[in-house]
Amino acid sequence: MSPQLKLIALDEDDLAVISAHVQDARVQLSDIIWRQGEKRLVIGMSRLDWDQTLEGETAPRRLVAALRFDRVLACKSRNIDLAAPGAVLDLIGIEFHPAEPPSGCALLLFADGKALRLELECLECELTDLGADDLGTSAIGEGGL
């Protein structure tokens, strides 16, 4: 069993590493929690354990993980039905587009043209594994965009 990850991204290269680890993660819309007053977005997800796959394990394993962005000034969605909290999104990857340093925007790309755009004061992102996803259920629970 691979050790649980705890990764921090403070620049574009760091975020590319996190993006690789969350590729093909499943996100239930109700597990996207936007705390505007705290300038924070937290996303609960069921991510594939890519390290385990690279080690030669044949059966893919999913892990419950939390992805957190701090210093978020705005959160906008595209093609996401906010009235359907039970909807499941498939995360393709995360991109960072710099603006006036240290600001920029993070773009979370989902299947079927869905996306979240985060306007950031600066890039502060953390990915933390919370344990095995034995049930394939909602990652965080209550919340919502």
Side-chain angles (χ1 to χ4, degrees):
M1 178 183 203
S2 302
Q4 292 185 345
L5 288 178
K6 183 168 185 171
L7 301 174
I8 296 174
L10 300 175
D11 63 29
E12 192 171 353
D13 292 335
D14 295 343
L15 190 61
V17 172
I18 288 178
S19 179
H21 283 284
V22 299
Q23 182 180 358
D24 295 326
R26 292 184 190 137
V27 177
Q28 187 168 330
L29 190 57
S30 63
D31 289 335
I32 300 174
I33 303 165
W34 168 227
R35 301 214 179 257
Q36 188 172 8
E38 297 173 21
K39 297 183 179 179
R40 175 174 290 156
L41 181 83
V42 179
I43 302 174
M45 63 181 56
S46 172
R47 73 171 193 87
L48 282 172
D49 184 355
W50 288 108
D51 288 337
Q52 178 203 29
T53 302
L54 293 173
E55 291 170 1
E57 297 291 328
T58 56
R61 177 174 73 128
R62 287 197 167 268
L63 299 169
V64 174
L67 181 67
R68 187 187 81 225
F69 284 88
D70 288 318
R71 300 188 179 217
V72 180
L73 301 173
C75 176
K76 298 177 183 178
S77 66
R78 180 184 69 202
N79 297 330
I80 297 175
D81 183 2
L82 301 177
V88 176
L89 307 172
D90 294 314
L91 185 60
I92 295 169
I94 307 169
E95 297 176 351
F96 181 72
H97 300 277
E100 182 71 29
S103 67
C105 76
L107 190 58
L108 286 80
L109 303 168
F110 298 94
D112 301 320
K114 297 176 168 105
L116 286 177
R117 179 185 172 103
L118 310 179
E119 298 294 332
L120 306 172
E121 286 179 30
C122 64
L123 180 56
E124 285 188 20
C125 176
E126 181 178 322
L127 173 67
T128 304
D129 286 340
L130 304 174
D133 186 2
D134 298 324
L135 303 174
T137 57
S138 174
I140 296 289
E142 296 180 28
L145 188 58

